[in-house]
Amino acid sequence: MTGTTLTTTASPEMTIVEGARIDGKLATPETLSALQAGVVAGGILSLPSGKIIGTTEIKVSSTLIGAGSGQTILDAMGIPVTSNQGILFVSVPGVAISNLAIANASVSDLIGGNAAGVYAGPGTSIKLSNVEIFNCQDGVRTLRSEVEIDGGYIHENGSGTGQTHNIYVSGHPTAFFRMTNLTTASCKGGHEVKSRAMHTISFGCHHLTGGEGAAYDISDGGQLSISNGSMTLPKEAANQNFIAYAMESTKNIEVGNIVTITNEIFHDGTKTGGMILSGDPAATLILSGCTYTGPLPPRLKGWGSVSGQFTKQQS
């Protein structure tokens, strides 16, 4: 049976995956972790469509690819995630993950309460392409890892505590975090994007907050570049920050505390204008081609220098 997954289980919860391929060769039916253990450096594990109950560490630089984000679903409902960290636990640089969905990562508050769909640890690098992640405590969580996300939909993650997020790029120093054509939405209690990277770069990304966090929380300052996307505050949003910048520290001051926003659309359902807030009174904000759709433009607070302005979007 090629191209589907069996519903039989091993020991007793994990799915036995039938139809997976390693470097193009049909693999012996195994659990997700056993299949991943058979991948060598530079290899490709291709998963078939279907729901796969499983979790694994990725220990070699390699590619994990599904049949499509609506087709291949990695689900950890009712099972412990790898090392209490994530459904996919990346422990090496050079890992690419694409064309699949990931759901239902959870651990007890006693052991962190922050299980991720994808976790990447120190010294790693990952690229996610067309990946959907939902109903996890963190969608993506990294620690001193270089991160790139291209496309995909990361939504409805978060535990409601304010300490978990759709995306959390943490650890100092982290040099770069890049997002392209990504959509996030409705984080429960946290931020859509929380980044401590020295350079956070977003192009063509769209973020709808869950009302309790910001679209972007750039905790330690540094270089932030946002362009050609949108941010949306729902009408019931208690947190009215589109962007919260350097509100915890200025650890990344060595690269300059500069925020550049170009051709971005700000949708404010609260009718207050929303807020772009800086905790560094010397930080620079540069606006170009930015528009808003509510009755008021975004309010600016705490910036040392501001150039450019917002324009009301024409209906």
Side-chain angles (χ1 to χ4, degrees):
M1 183 191 301
T2 303
T4 60
T5 56
L6 293 179
T7 57
T8 55
T9 58
S11 79
E13 301 106 346
M14 306 291 187
T15 301
I16 299 295
V17 182
E18 188 171 292
R21 293 179 177 272
I22 297 176
D23 296 333
K25 182 180 178 180
L26 191 65
T28 301
E30 285 284 6
T31 64
L32 175 63
S33 59
L35 287 168
Q36 184 61 48
V39 177
V40 299
I44 301 173
L45 171 58
S46 301
L47 298 174
S49 61
K51 183 167 78 170
I52 299 170
I53 304 295
T55 178
T56 189
E57 183 176 357
I58 300 177
K59 299 180 181 180
V60 295
S61 302
S62 58
T63 297
L64 174 64
I65 185 169
S69 66
Q71 302 297 314
T72 302
I73 303 171
L74 307 185
D75 193 326
M77 180 68 76
I79 64 170
V81 300
T82 300
S83 299
N84 296 320
Q85 297 290 351
I87 296 175
L88 298 179
F89 181 111
V90 177
S91 55
V92 293
V95 170
I97 300 165
S98 64
N99 298 322
L100 49 78
I102 302 170
N104 299 316
S106 179
V107 296
S108 164
D109 290 345
L110 297 176
I111 50 175
N114 59 352
V118 176
Y119 170 79
T124 64
S125 60
I126 59 169
K127 180 176 181 178
L128 306 183
S129 302
N130 300 317
V131 173
E132 179 182 7
I133 305 175
F134 60 96
N135 203 35
C136 300
Q137 288 168 318
D138 282 303
V140 175
R141 180 166 56 86
T142 69
L143 177 64
R144 296 193 297 278
S145 172
E146 304 302 309
V147 186
E148 182 176 354
I149 303 177
D150 185 4
Y153 183 32
I154 300 176
H155 60 103
E156 296 172 293
N157 301 288
S159 61
T161 64
Q163 303 301 310
T164 53
H165 313 282
N166 270 334
I167 301 170
Y168 183 21
V169 174
S170 72
H172 183 83
T174 296
F176 285 94
F177 171 34
R178 296 179 175 89
M179 297 163 276
T180 306
N181 299 324
L182 170 69
T183 298
T184 76
S186 305
C187 182
K188 293 173 278 189
H191 304 297
E192 297 305 303
V193 176
K194 184 178 179 74
S195 173
R196 298 185 186 275
M198 290 186 283
H199 299 265
T200 299
I201 302 165
S202 173
F203 179 86
C205 297
H206 302 277
H207 307 289
L208 166 64
T209 79
E212 296 176 272
Y216 293 89
D217 182 271
I218 310 301
S219 310
D220 300 328
Q223 295 268 352
L224 171 63
S225 175
I226 302 171
S227 63
N228 296 83
S230 69
M231 303 177 219
T232 302
L233 300 177
K235 65 180 181 180
E236 68 280 4
N239 185 325
Q240 296 175 0
N241 290 328
F242 285 113
I243 300 172
Y245 177 84
M247 296 305 295
E248 296 182 31
S249 85
T250 56
K251 287 180 182 177
N252 293 326
I253 189 66
E254 64 198 84
V255 300
N257 278 357
I258 302 171
V259 176
T260 304
I261 309 175
T262 306
N263 298 331
E264 191 80 0
I265 304 172
F266 293 82
H267 300 289
D268 169 36
T270 70
K271 302 186 185 302
T272 66
M275 181 80 75
I276 298 176
L277 179 65
S278 174
D280 176 8
T284 297
L285 174 64
I286 302 169
L287 304 170
S288 177
C290 293
T291 59
Y292 65 96
T293 60
L296 298 169
R299 292 164 287 153
L300 307 178
K301 183 178 179 181
W303 298 92
S305 171
V306 176
S307 64
Q309 60 186 0
F310 299 97
T311 302
K312 175 77 171 178
Q313 188 177 54
Q314 300 302 309
S315 57

